[in-house]
Amino acid sequence: MAVGASSVTTPPDPGQGPGPGRDKGDGDPRGSATTAWTTGLALLPLGLLAAAAYLGRYVRPSADEWCFLPVVRDEGVSGLVGKFYFTDNGRVGNGLLVGLYAKFPVAGHQWYGLVSGALMLGLLWALTALLLRRTGLGVPRGVPLLVASMITAVFLFATPNTYKTFYWPAASVSHTLAPVLACAAAIPLLRGHGRRGRIAALVVVLLAGVFMGTLSEEASVVALVVLSGVVLCAGLVLTERVRAFARIWALTGMAGVAIGTLVLVTSPGSRNRRERFGAETTSLLAPESLIASLKAFVRILETVLTTWQYAGAVAAGVLLGLLAGRDAARRADRVLLPGRPLLLTGLGAAAFLVSGYLCTVITYPVFGPRVVTAERTWNDYLLLFVLLLVGAGAFLGRALRQRDIRTGAVTALAAAVCAVTVAGLAVPLYELGHDMRVRAQKWDHQDRWLRERAAAGAKVLPYKPVSVSAMLEPFSANGTRIWPAGCVADYYHLDKVTRGTRLP
């Protein structure tokens, strides 16, 4: 994202368009026209996000949420947080976010996609605008929104299982929302000025690190890898003026993650979870585990690198590089050393590969070979992958512009790739929406029947599994897997539910 590193300054506004003191082409009087078409292009991914949020009305509880809902109903959000800490997994931050939507049973699930999607888009939009400001780049006003919306759309919908990535709240708060929240911890750093701003940035990154440590082990690993890179490589990419504080900020964030992780791993719930999955007796550093994790990560990379929709992130970056112009008026304010696109891209690629492999290592003892199909656990490092693609595309676009290559055709091609990417993401989303609607109708019908029978005094009732996108339901695997039947019984105030073979 840090394009045009040869001159990094701070313009008055993050979305400021062309003006005096910018490099060749930045005074183009067609700036308003560029703003119009980039804003229009942004409507495509924004429309996709809006359609996805609308389909959220068909989300219904399933899998783990059957167990969360009765606890929140009977004991409140604090009861679920306590259950997570003392019994389930130790993730108190996770329990808090889960409790916030589970407080509103079905409605909370329906609104989760809209709320989380808007939050992620807003944070990525703010982050994009601030990064442009801190790298001294002026762009037409529609560009930051276009880039942020393409990042959001590709991140959420290029995955092999959009339902578990976006619509399943229990997975989203741990693996989809978590990495975006981690990125948002940099916003005070990018906005901060003076002593108070620096103190605020340190406080925020410390608290964010503690929260991240209790929210998602995988997102914490990614954060530690990225922050370690800042500490180790600040001398290679940052100017001397900001280098020392950047390292202090990164070390503070790492300390926060360490504190949160310590709270998690020492909790009774985390110990119970390790015993439940046999992870207590499995060493993460055992050679066979490391080799199996590497093989699994290679297979994951094969899936990711052959998913063509990620080209939309590169195209958005190319547009950013083509349309961004440097502000040469305040060179003394630069924060990046000049002319290091290959180094920055290489460091970003290394951070992605290292964090992705380490995330696979820590999840392998729990999932085993199934980590290759547990797509939701990939998202913690896939956001970094999408940001890397945007940054690489921006460097490419910048290089083309600086070499006086005819950029009109390249701009049109990049815009077309963005549009085709959105169309390619819309087709499977439409099909998923149909499946969700069918499941919602069946779920609602069975829900009414179970409530009516329970109100009439029934204590044991049949339940027919109603699933979507490989989501777990009671009596899955031809009835051999009972979980979470007991939680369904609690939800309907029953003593027991048995396997139903047809809907009532």
Side-chain angles (χ1 to χ4, degrees), residues 2 4 30 35 46 80 94 117 146 151 154 166 172 179 189 225 278 333 353 360 366 372 401 410 413 433 449:
R30 295 175 297 175
T35 298
L46 289 175
L80 185 64
N94 191 303
L146 170 62
I151 291 173
V154 171
F166 182 58
S172 175
L189 174 69
V225 170
D333 290 337
L353 293 173
T360 308
V366 175
V372 176
R401 176 173 175 164
V410 179
L413 177 61
W449 184 83

Side-chain angles (χ1 to χ4, degrees), residues 207-241:
L207 296 178
V210 173
F211 184 72
M212 199 58 53
T214 63
L215 174 63
S216 169
E217 295 96 323
E218 293 82 4
S220 296
V221 166
V222 177
L224 287 173
V225 170
V226 173
L227 294 175
S228 297
V230 174
V231 174
L232 296 174
C233 303
L236 298 176
V237 296
L238 299 178
T239 61
E240 186 175 356
R241 180 178 62 87

Side-chain angles (χ1 to χ4, degrees), residues 280-298:
E280 286 280 17
T281 59
T282 303
S283 173
L284 296 177
L285 301 180
E288 58 272 16
S289 180
L290 293 175
I291 294 173
S293 299
L294 179 60
K295 292 179 179 178
F297 183 54
V298 169

Side-chain angles (χ1 to χ4, degrees), residues 16 29 78 107 257 324 378 405:
Q16 183 174 333
S78 60
V257 173
W378 308 355
I405 295 175

Side-chain angles (χ1 to χ4, degrees), residues 361-375:
V361 168
I362 66 172
T363 53
Y364 192 85
V366 175
F367 290 94
R370 292 185 297 110
V371 72
V372 176
T373 56
E375 298 93 348

Side-chain angles (χ1 to χ4, degrees), residues 380-464:
D380 298 277
Y381 52 88
L382 283 186
L383 177 62
L384 183 59
F385 177 65
V386 175
L387 296 177
L388 171 64
L389 294 179
V390 173
F395 288 134
L396 175 60
R398 193 68 182 171
L400 293 175
R401 176 173 175 164
Q402 290 176 338
R403 284 164 175 72
D404 290 328
I405 295 175
R406 293 181 58 187
T407 59
V410 179
T411 300
L413 177 61
V417 171
C418 288
V420 171
T421 296
V422 173
L425 296 173
V427 173
L429 180 64
Y430 174 82
E431 296 172 350
L432 175 61
H434 174 267
D435 295 341
M436 291 166 57
R437 183 166 55 250
V438 170
R439 193 232 176 191
Q441 293 171 348
K442 295 179 179 179
W443 194 96
D444 290 343
H445 176 75
Q446 184 164 237
D447 176 67
R448 286 191 298 268
W449 184 83
L450 288 169
R451 290 183 181 279
E452 291 170 358
R453 298 296 297 164
K459 293 300 179 182
V460 178
L461 291 172
Y463 177 88
K464 182 181 183 343

Side-chain angles (χ1 to χ4, degrees), residues 320-334:
L320 175 60
L322 291 172
L323 299 175
R326 295 193 307 265
D327 186 349
R330 299 175 63 189
R331 290 182 180 273
D333 290 337
R334 69 185 185 185

